[in-house]
Amino acid sequence: MPNYILPDFEVERRDDRCIRCRVCERQCANEVHSYDEENDVMLADELKCVGCHRCVALCPTRALKIVKYSGTFRENANWSNQSILEIYKQAESGGVLLSSMGTPNPCPVYFDKILINASQVTNPSIDPLREPMETRVFLGKRPQNIERDETGKLNNNLPPQLELSVPIMFSAMSYGSISYNAHESLARAATELGIYYNTGEGGLHEDFYKYGPNTIVQVASGRFGVHKGYLDVAAAIEIKMGQGAKPGIGGHLPGEKITEDVSRARMIPVGTDAISPAPHHDIYSIEDLRQLVYSLKEATEYKKPVIVKVAAVHNIAAIASGIARSGADIIAIDGFRGGTGAAPTRIRDNVGIPIELALASVDKRLRDEGIRGNVSLVVAGSIRNSADVVKAIALGADACYIGTAALIALGCHLCRTCHLGKCNWGIATQRPDLVKRLNPEIGYKRLVNLVTAWQHEIKELLGGMGINSIEALRGNRLMLRGVGLNEKELEILGIKHAGE
Amino acid sequence: MVINAYGLDFKELNAKIRAVGSDCVVEGCIGQRYIGEGLDGVTLKLYGTPGNTLGGYLNGATIEVFGNAQDEVGDTMNAGRIIVHGNIGDAAGYAMRGGVICVRGNAGYRTGIHMKEYKDKRPVIIIGGYTGSFLGEYQAGGVIIVLGLGGPSPYTGNIVGEFPCTGMHGGKLFLRGRAEGVDFPAQVNVRLAGEEDRAELAGHLEIFAYSFGYPLGWLLDSDYTVVTPNTKRPYKQLYVQN
């Protein structure tokens, strides 16, 4: 069948700089570069280029540049190049389009239309270099009342909590979708930072049990790698109901990614597909969810919080209200722009709602119903920087999950081809020659640097507002103003327009 | 040690069972959920009717129920034995990875859903009676055996319900008899059990014969139908890179 597909990129090679060292050729798992010995030239098959910039970064003479393919179909505002190419791909294969990472489409980013307040004249700002600033948060159920024994001493009726030095956690990314070295980097960074990383639904590698006190283990519909030891070692257990990048559908790790080691963590045979069906087969209602929440609590003797993770969808406020009554300690909400190791393009780009709107409406609903204290709220789905964290907390979140940002810290260049399993940066791959490119010793330090830097920025933003504790910012929507938002958007976000 | 479960909620009852920490008999079960979750190394004998998720995450213990059990018996079970002298509800052995669930009577919907196997772990579910619909959905490993000893289900006229083996991509299913009239999906192979299959089956059925007093020879004196997936990669051709 004829192939009409155009390249996404062009490889520009400055011949005056190229020394034919062939680093680019060795570094590219997509096999873009090759050497023609007869003519002593480097060649490039641009159709294979995913734009990951590995060759650019490692070229010793800076001879390489990857640029957007300049060829174009006849201009058409309705039929973009992308739309046309997608049809060619499907007409040639009959396949469902598969993509990775969060949607690249220009959907509104409400965080960018929200501005943060600062103190001027009438109330003092606080200098975080001079005064203590508290960024520590606790996640879990708050007791509804104070209990005392007959002598008047306080009964400790505090349900299990997670303590975070800063309201940021690494979101669920399974071993299988990302590499051993990526997992090790996340686990070590979480331990050093006093936060948590999340195993995702692929089980926990035996080498990482030692990071248990800083590990959240996930239980998804496929129940991969779930057993007593896995539940026991964790600091918290997350029930995965949904994911922002692909609400309403399941996951599917292809057999080629189930290597010997991944198979051990998932506890399934090597080379078989790991299918996570869309629903949990035992959850059709909030009552059923409650049953799984308590099943996990019973299995771990009520010693750890249970998180329920859902995708942000249209009725998220009602869904969250149900979850808050299910016995769950923490609700994690993953927004429309959230990342993924693989999702059908149409689902990723068209299903779900932005996290800002979901968070604002959930927080309001839980407050209105007087059950906000039943749960903590963790939000995800494209938290890109410390200002997003601060805005999320002011909208009502207790903490944020970061996934894509953490991977970028590890070297991800957002080429969005994780599902190919040939990540040149050693992150979203199981090929040993590629995995070793990510040194966990360096990777974990980069993550620690990132979160530490964000912590400093959060303190500065807090200090500017005259607030010295992150807890005092939570749900403090007066600290936010919208720009360029319509009345309905402002109403849902629960904030005023700038100038009001 | 005997525990009387009557009047205890699941939390109290399970705390008592854990506190005993050795073999015990529980009388008067009345729907308490999660009994025996994650236990290993002990034997529980239960009288009455235990509630949902009996023996969830079971890790080597033996649970014997002298009565019926409800939904999700052996949810995500890793090792051990659950023997039920009556009927069981829906979704038994959900994502079970190891051990044996052996039921004298009938089972509800979705028995053995997403059952797995791993290395030396090969879980087995044996249902003495008939099952509801969606038997072995997404089965990824292990062995499910349905005997239909009390005759076919009054709802479907077969010993299994509608839509068995949908999404099956691993493991093996044995049905006593020739499974005539059962509608299987395209991604499975259906054949009569051969010598090797029957030898394997005899091994699996020992616990059933022993537990419920059936002669093994009599159980085996029948045709058996074997269902296996015809590919481990049911979704391989579905996607195109974008």
Side-chain angles (χ1 to χ4, degrees):
Chain A
M1 201 178 286
N3 183 330
Y4 300 150
I5 293 167
L6 301 180
D8 290 325
F9 301 99
E10 290 172 22
V11 178
E12 283 188 9
R13 194 187 316 267
R14 284 183 56 175
D15 201 51
D16 57 330
R17 289 193 177 184
C18 178
I19 54 171
R20 315 291 192 264
C21 67
R22 298 170 72 177
V23 163
C24 50
E25 184 186 354
R26 288 191 296 277
Q27 288 293 324
C28 183
N30 299 304
E31 299 173 341
V32 171
H33 305 279
S34 60
Y35 178 59
D36 176 352
E37 221 159 314
E38 210 171 299
N39 300 308
D40 186 37
V41 285
M42 292 301 302
L43 304 172
D45 181 354
E46 292 163 326
L47 260 183
K48 293 176 178 165
C49 180
V50 299
C52 77
H53 279 226
R54 179 77 185 178
C55 58
V56 175
L58 270 79
C59 177
T61 58
R62 300 199 188 283
L64 280 168
K65 193 156 82 172
I66 305 296
V67 296
K68 197 175 163 193
Y69 180 68
S70 56
T72 177
F73 298 117
R74 188 171 192 134
E75 260 182 50
N76 190 322
N78 183 33
W79 287 95
S80 65
N81 277 17
Q82 183 68 18
S83 310
I84 296 168
L85 286 172
E86 285 174 352
I87 287 182
Y88 289 154
K89 285 177 186 172
Q90 295 195 290
E92 279 158 24
S93 68
V96 169
L97 296 167
L98 193 68
S99 297
S100 304
M101 301 308 278
T103 179
N105 289 353
C107 54
V109 179
Y110 286 94
F111 284 134
D112 292 342
K113 298 180 176 191
I114 295 174
L115 298 173
I116 299 167
N117 194 28
S119 306
Q120 295 293 300
V121 184
T122 54
N123 53 344
S125 49
I126 300 169
D127 181 357
L129 294 176
R130 212 189 64 186
E131 295 181 48
M133 301 286 284
E134 188 59 270
T135 59
R136 190 168 46 158
V137 294
F138 292 86
L139 304 181
K141 239 181 242 307
R142 307 287 181 252
Q144 299 299 303
N145 44 31
I146 290 170
E147 290 171 15
R148 293 181 187 280
D149 65 13
E150 56 277 10
T151 65
K153 267 183 68 180
L154 213 55
N155 278 342
N156 183 358
N157 60 351
L158 190 69
Q161 305 279 319
L162 291 180
E163 180 180 342
L164 282 67
S165 64
V166 53
I168 296 167
M169 302 191 286
F170 300 130
S171 56
M173 291 176 278
S174 70
Y175 177 44
S177 73
I178 61 171
S179 65
Y180 179 97
N181 287 356
H183 251 224
E184 182 180 337
S185 304
L186 291 165
R188 286 173 65 181
T191 303
E192 178 149 326
L193 287 162
I195 59 171
Y196 300 85
Y197 87 109
N198 187 316
T199 61
E201 58 178 297
L204 180 60
H205 193 284
E206 62 218 30
D207 294 353
F208 301 148
Y209 271 65
K210 60 184 175 213
Y211 303 111
N214 294 82
T215 304
I216 296 169
V217 297
Q218 212 177 42
V219 173
S221 64
R223 304 278 204 270
F224 295 111
V226 178
H227 62 106
K228 188 71 166 63
Y230 172 79
L231 300 175
D232 282 343
V233 77
I237 301 167
E238 181 170 275
I239 299 171
K240 180 192 179 185
M241 298 302 304
Q243 184 178 341
K246 42 181 169 179
I249 68 162
H252 165 216
L253 193 67
E256 335 33 289
K257 288 197 183 180
I258 312 290
T259 59
E260 176 67 36
D261 226 29
V262 171
S263 112
R264 286 222 299 276
R266 294 197 175 224
M267 303 173 93
I268 55 169
V270 174
T272 56
D273 280 7
I275 298 167
S276 265
H280 285 248
H281 310 304
D282 51 351
I283 300 179
Y284 285 61
S285 66
I286 294 295
E287 290 77 9
D288 290 347
L289 174 65
R290 183 180 179 83
Q291 188 167 305
L292 183 57
V293 167
Y294 276 91
S295 171
L296 293 166
K297 288 190 176 207
E298 269 295 334
T300 52
E301 299 178 44
Y302 301 87
K303 285 177 189 157
K304 39 199 90 184
V306 172
I307 307 167
V308 174
K309 178 182 176 182
V310 286
V313 290
H314 298 181
N315 284 324
I316 188 66
I319 294 161
S321 168
I323 298 170
R325 297 163 203 275
S326 73
D329 300 272
I330 300 164
I331 305 177
I333 307 173
D334 193 11
F336 170 66
R337 300 189 305 272
T340 175
T345 311
R346 293 290 171 257
I347 303 269
R348 183 195 65 177
D349 294 351
N350 295 283
V351 182
I353 65 170
I355 189 59
E356 303 91 330
L357 302 178
L359 164 62
S361 65
V362 166
D363 180 64
K364 177 174 188 305
R365 176 72 169 259
L366 297 184
R367 282 175 198 282
D368 287 351
E369 294 182 357
I371 53 174
R372 180 65 182 83
N374 279 12
V375 284
S376 289
L377 284 180
V378 178
V379 297
S382 218
I383 302 294
R384 302 157 302 167
N385 52 51
S386 60
D388 287 355
V389 174
V390 166
K391 289 169 189 176
I393 287 171
L395 284 173
D398 290 85
C400 298
Y401 266 138
I402 60 168
T404 303
L407 296 188
I408 293 172
L410 290 175
C412 166
H413 278 54
L414 267 181
C415 73
R416 310 199 308 261
T417 50
C418 317
H419 56 285
L420 298 181
K422 293 191 285 193
C423 176
N424 278 319
W425 297 94
I427 299 167
T429 180
Q430 301 304 323
R431 256 175 60 175
D433 59 318
L434 301 177
V435 172
K436 73 177 183 204
R437 294 181 183 178
L438 174 61
N439 180 346
E441 193 65 42
I442 296 169
Y444 105 88
K445 283 184 188 147
R446 292 177 64 92
L447 289 165
V448 170
N449 282 344
L450 178 77
V451 175
T452 308
W454 286 19
Q455 184 179 26
H456 283 301
E457 292 175 339
I458 290 169
K459 286 180 177 179
E460 288 197 337
L461 285 162
L462 283 178
M465 288 182 269
I467 293 172
N468 64 4
S469 159
I470 196 102
E471 298 264 351
L473 178 68
R474 189 190 312 124
N476 192 344
R477 298 187 194 190
L478 285 171
M479 290 298 149
L480 302 176
R481 289 290 189 273
V483 279
L485 296 175
N486 67 34
E487 276 193 32
K488 192 70 190 174
E489 289 166 323
L490 292 168
E491 178 196 322
I492 293 166
L493 290 167
I495 61 175
K496 292 179 174 175
H497 201 277
E500 277 190 273
Chain B
M1 181 76 189
V2 178
I3 297 171
N4 189 343
Y6 193 80
L8 300 179
D9 71 15
F10 66 76
K11 201 170 170 181
E12 296 166 317
L13 175 58
N14 290 321
K16 277 198 172 186
I17 292 171
R18 274 196 295 268
V20 171
S22 58
D23 294 358
C24 63
V25 173
V26 182
E27 293 178 347
C29 291
I30 181 162
Q32 289 94 344
R33 292 175 174 176
Y34 321 120
I35 293 177
E37 272 200 347
L39 284 185
D40 60 28
V42 300
T43 297
L44 297 183
K45 289 185 190 288
L46 309 180
Y47 292 85
T49 306
N52 292 352
T53 320
L54 169 71
Y57 324 102
L58 200 70
N59 212 14
T62 296
I63 298 178
E64 191 161 8
V65 183
F66 299 93
N68 298 325
Q70 299 189 341
D71 294 345
E72 284 195 279
V73 171
D75 179 8
T76 322
M77 176 171 169
N78 199 45
R81 288 176 172 186
I82 301 178
I83 296 160
V84 182
H85 287 255
N87 301 324
I88 59 171
D90 297 342
Y94 176 2
M96 173 185 186
R97 184 184 305 115
V100 180
I101 296 175
C102 186
V103 179
R104 180 170 201 157
N106 308 318
Y109 284 173
R110 306 192 139 190
T111 301
I113 186 164
H114 219 141
M115 190 177 184
K116 299 178 167 55
E117 63 186 44
Y118 174 63
K119 295 207 164 151
D120 57 332
K121 289 187 181 298
R122 193 149 187 252
V124 178
I125 298 179
I126 308 165
I127 306 298
Y130 59 80
T131 72
S133 297
F134 309 107
L135 171 71
E137 207 176 12
Y138 299 106
Q139 188 179 347
V143 178
I144 302 175
I145 303 166
V146 182
L147 299 175
L149 295 177
S153 156
Y155 308 109
T156 59
N158 291 314
I159 64 170
V160 297
E162 314 253 34
F163 313 113
C165 309
T166 309
M168 181 178 192
H169 55 292
K172 201 167 182 178
L173 174 72
F174 287 94
L175 300 180
R176 189 163 160 272
R178 290 178 163 257
E180 278 155 3
V182 178
D183 217 359
F184 291 102
Q187 81 272 15
V188 299
N189 294 323
V190 182
R191 58 183 164 82
L192 274 183
E195 280 310 303
E196 266 181 47
D197 299 316
R198 296 182 70 86
E200 181 192 346
L201 182 69
H204 295 316
L205 285 179
E206 267 175 32
I207 183 174
F208 185 89
Y210 172 81
S211 301
F212 306 128
Y214 287 98
L216 186 59
W218 181 79
L219 288 173
L220 289 168
D221 184 19
S222 163
D223 284 334
Y224 276 86
T225 304
V226 176
V227 184
T228 50
N230 55 22
T231 169
K232 280 182 183 172
R233 304 289 313 275
Y235 300 112
K236 194 177 180 186
Q237 296 303 323
L238 206 59
Y239 297 109
V240 55
Q241 123 79 4
N242 186 28

